[in-house]
Amino acid sequence: MAIDFGKRMGMGGLRLPVKDPMNPMSIDMEQLKKNVDYFMEHGFNYFDTAYIYHGELSEGAYGEAVVDRYPRDSFLLSTKMPVKQMNSADQMEPIFEEQLRRCHVDYFDFYLVHCVSRDTYERCKKWGVFEFLKKKREEGKFREFGVSLHDSPEFLEEILTEHPEIDFVMEQINYLDWTNPSIRSKEVYEMAMKYNKPVVVMESCKGGTLANLPDEAVKLMKEYNPHASVAFWAYRFVGSLPGVRVCLCGMPTEEFLKDDVATFEDFKPLNDEEYRILEKVVEIVNAKTPIPCTQCRYCEPKCPKKIAIPDYFALYNDLKRLPVDEVMTQAMYYGSLIEQGHGPASACVNCKSCEKQCPQHLEITEYLKWVVKDIEQYDPMAQIEKMKAAAKEG
Ligand code: SF4
Ligand code: SF4
């Protein structure tokens, strides 16, 4: 039976509403239920999650907010096997069963191997992960089988050639990464098309980066369409691509949710002029975003020094977008993270465990040195003296 994908937008389970923005485990269940209701009322039906999201609480949150409150045939549920985080083949069966229990279902609609990298793929071969999942699909434990990856088109081709049983691919697509030489999302998308695999898109807003653009870029967009939000452009870029089955959107707030729903409810592909505007926006954003971190937080649990890597990078990127004297505010936020028990950027021992986890292949250790130089070593007293001197002159 053909699957009805609703209006081609899915609710992403990596960025659910939280009570404390610094604590991903503080999921705001009441807000999530309201979001789910609004989403369903507007004809959307796709929910994506994974074992590891929100400190392993995301699947259970959907169990409570979606599965317990809606008939099973009224929504589509997708989750992923955390092969990267597993230690042996023995864990496959118990983890799969645990996921069914957490989600309160007896089958998933879609099941993926999460974040397939060279290392993960080797484990999949050694442990027989694909064979295990083929069997689960035959048993009716899920309907379609996919892989999510942040890797090269050549690697995707290798996987699709060796495993034609894969039904679909989940990949990172957004207008900023489309021709980015280290991410190559256009080429990865084209490879999926070559093998006739539908694509589910993640990171279409690049972890919120494309909803929070420099003023110069926002001005360009608003001059063309004063009523559209900046995120609207990001989702329309992805939705305009043929072969994209569903675009996953993080909806941590009601504002995001309503904007996303409005974009996909009455979807219009981008026109030539809009594509040209986006090209200019990419130039502006690239010039102003020094660390292309998507805030996925995969690196953080691996750090023996508890360094709040994504938070420090977000502070750094904001610092470069804000006026120079805002460094004091950034330094205060930085200080409060250290007070909460995180290691400072300078505590990095260069073990590179974090870099092995990073789907964006960032040189985290190098970027941490920038954080040390521009935020950690910032001296508030010197800044105050500078401000006093400027006031006197004024
Ligand atoms: S390289 Fe540094 S930041 Fe990365 S895990 Fe090791 S100590 Fe933590
Ligand atoms: S540094 Fe990499 S792994 Fe860590 S949050 Fe950023 S993108 Fe994700």
Side-chain angles (χ1 to χ4, degrees), residues 15 172 203 206 291-300 309-311 313 354-364 367:
R15 294 182 179 90
Q172 171 168 329
E203 300 290 2
K206 204 167 167 66
I291 307 179
C293 167
T294 63
Q295 302 288 305
C296 69
R297 312 195 85 90
Y298 292 166
C299 54
E300 214 177 5
I309 301 163
D311 300 315
F313 289 173
C354 52
E355 292 182 6
K356 289 186 193 123
Q357 300 295 320
C358 180
Q360 310 301 322
H361 314 290
L362 301 186
E363 278 189 80
I364 295 173
Y367 290 137

Side-chain angles (χ1 to χ4, degrees), residues 222-236:
K222 292 286 178 192
E223 273 170 7
Y224 181 81
N225 183 349
H227 306 294
S229 69
V230 289
F232 173 83
W233 289 74
Y235 294 134
R236 282 184 60 223

Side-chain angles (χ1 to χ4, degrees), residues 302-305 307 309 347-354 364-365 368:
K302 293 289 163 190
C303 179
K305 298 292 176 185
I307 296 173
I309 301 163
C348 173
V349 291
N350 219 29
C351 66
K352 300 202 185 273
S353 308
C354 52
I364 295 173
T365 47
L368 284 173

Side-chain angles (χ1 to χ4, degrees), residues 103-284:
C103 290
H104 305 178
V105 290
D106 50 20
Y107 73 94
F108 300 111
D109 296 284
F110 308 103
Y111 196 86
L112 300 96
V113 180
H114 198 173
C115 211
V116 185
S117 60
R118 288 269 166 205
D119 174 47
T120 321
Y121 193 46
E122 284 311 308
R123 287 181 190 199
C124 287
K125 286 183 188 170
K126 200 162 105 197
W127 296 345
V129 173
F130 285 76
E131 292 71 20
F132 171 84
L133 292 176
K134 253 161 80 177
K135 194 158 160 278
K136 288 287 175 201
R137 186 174 58 183
E138 279 158 24
E139 288 169 4
K141 295 290 185 184
F142 59 85
R143 296 161 78 176
E144 288 197 4
F145 172 33
V147 285
S148 79
L149 88 167
H150 301 263
D151 216 297
S152 68
E154 293 80 17
F155 182 46
L156 177 61
E157 180 154 44
E158 186 181 322
I159 299 172
L160 294 179
T161 312
E162 291 178 2
H163 291 283
E165 72 273 23
I166 290 170
D167 296 304
F168 67 101
V169 173
M170 182 185 283
E171 69 149 306
Q172 171 168 329
I173 301 182
N174 56 66
Y175 62 77
L176 199 62
D177 294 328
W178 190 237
T179 52
N180 177 329
S182 65
I183 296 184
R184 303 168 70 193
S185 73
K186 178 174 187 274
E187 293 170 74
V188 180
Y189 161 78
E190 285 168 351
M191 188 59 74
M193 293 300 103
K194 179 177 163 189
Y195 285 82
N196 291 318
K197 304 295 178 189
V199 171
V200 173
V201 176
M202 57 181 156
E203 300 290 2
S204 29
C205 228
K206 204 167 167 66
T209 302
L210 303 185
N212 185 23
L213 296 176
D215 290 348
E216 208 183 322
V218 175
K219 189 166 166 271
L220 276 181
M221 291 168 155
K222 292 286 178 192
E223 273 170 7
Y224 181 81
N225 183 349
H227 306 294
S229 69
V230 289
F232 173 83
W233 289 74
Y235 294 134
R236 282 184 60 223
F237 176 83
V238 167
S240 299
L241 293 168
V244 167
R245 174 187 264 186
V246 171
C247 168
L248 298 178
C249 300
M251 301 167 198
T253 65
E254 218 166 299
E255 192 193 340
F256 273 106
L257 166 77
K258 291 189 173 166
D259 192 38
D260 299 347
V261 163
T263 303
F264 281 89
E265 215 172 10
D266 180 23
F267 189 82
K268 288 186 185 63
L270 292 170
N271 62 36
D272 290 347
E273 193 173 352
E274 288 169 319
Y275 277 116
R276 277 194 291 278
I277 291 171
L278 282 186
E279 279 170 24
K280 287 187 196 146
V281 168
V282 169
E283 281 170 28
I284 296 167

Side-chain angles (χ1 to χ4, degrees), residues 5 22 30 37-39 45 80 91-92 103 163 202 222 230 247-248 287 294 306 331 334:
F5 287 94
M22 304 310 285
E30 285 321 300
D37 293 344
Y38 188 87
F39 186 75
N45 62 358
K80 313 179 188 85
Q91 289 178 285
M92 287 191 287
C103 290
H163 291 283
M202 57 181 156
K222 292 286 178 192
V230 289
C247 168
L248 298 178
T294 63
K306 294 196 179 144
Y334 184 78

